[in-house]
Every structure is written in C-alpha cells, then in structure tokens.
C-alpha cells in the first residue's frame, strides 16, 4: 500500500504521505454505489497527506477563488469520479514501478 501513497503524491511538494489505513478506508468508501460525502470528508480531514492531495486536486481541476474553500467544497469540486480516478491512477503508477 505504501507504493500507492508514494505514487499518489509523486510530483507534489514534499509533505506528509497519506496513511495506508486512510487510503484503504477511502477506497472502500468510494466503491459504494451511494457515497457518503460526509464520511469522505471525515477520512480526508483526519489524514494530512490526503488533505494536501485533495487541495491539490481541487486546485488543478477548478478555478480557485480568493476565498479558501473547505475540504468538503474541494471534494465536491473534484467529484466522486475524480477521487476514484485519482486512486486508479495511483494504482497504475504503483504497478508500473
């Protein structure tokens, strides 16, 4: 699982890596048909590496305003499919390493 964390943040600024437990929880939650955004936000909030990753994804996928968005707003901006895609990309990079 550590390779997933490393791949997820491959070209990012040096920061804390997401814990394997948080990544697994997030992955399991995102596999559900109906995803609970509050639960996703809770997982991301508790993990510094995931917080940074979500903020980076939100910045890259949308127009950032002068007002700093909440993590919940960033997750909504990215979308559930965007988060799923991010995890899939991390797995693909891990397999290629």
């Amino acid at each position: 699982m550590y390779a997933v964390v490393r791949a997820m943040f491959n070209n990012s600024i040096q920061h804390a890596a997401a814990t394997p437990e948080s990544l697994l929880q997030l992955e399991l939650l995102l596999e559900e048909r109906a995803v609970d955004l509050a639960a996703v936000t809770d997982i991301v909030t508790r993990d510094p590496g995931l917080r940074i990753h979500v903020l980076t994804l939100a910045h890259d996928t949308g127009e950032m305003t002068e007002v700093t968005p909440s993590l919940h707003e960033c997750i909504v901006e990215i979308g559930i499919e965007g988060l799923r895609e991010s995890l899939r990309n991390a797995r693909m990079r891990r397999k290629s390493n």
Side-chain angles (χ1 to χ4, degrees):
M1 187 59 84
Y2 179 73
V4 169
V5 175
R6 193 176 66 233
M8 217 172 181
F9 302 108
N10 197 13
N11 294 318
S12 300
I13 301 169
Q14 294 296 327
H15 49 76
T19 63
E21 294 83 13
S22 294
L23 286 172
L24 180 59
Q25 288 175 340
L26 184 59
E27 188 169 9
L28 291 173
L29 188 59
L30 293 175
E31 288 177 358
E32 296 293 323
R33 175 168 271 200
V35 178
D36 181 355
L37 287 179
V40 171
T41 303
D42 184 53
I43 292 168
V44 171
T45 300
R46 289 182 281 128
D47 190 289
L50 282 176
R51 275 196 311 266
I52 292 168
H53 183 67
V54 164
L55 291 171
T56 301
L57 281 175
H59 180 268
D60 292 347
T61 59
E63 295 181 24
M64 297 297 285
T65 63
E66 290 183 25
V67 177
T68 304
S70 68
L71 280 173
H72 182 79
E73 291 169 327
C74 289
I75 290 166
V76 170
E77 176 74 25
I78 296 164
I80 297 305
E81 191 54 42
L83 290 172
R84 288 176 179 150
E85 183 68 25
S86 178
L87 286 174
R88 281 192 294 268
N89 289 339
R91 271 191 247 118
M92 295 297 282
R93 285 189 296 258
R94 183 186 70 174
K95 288 179 181 178
S96 67
N97 288 337

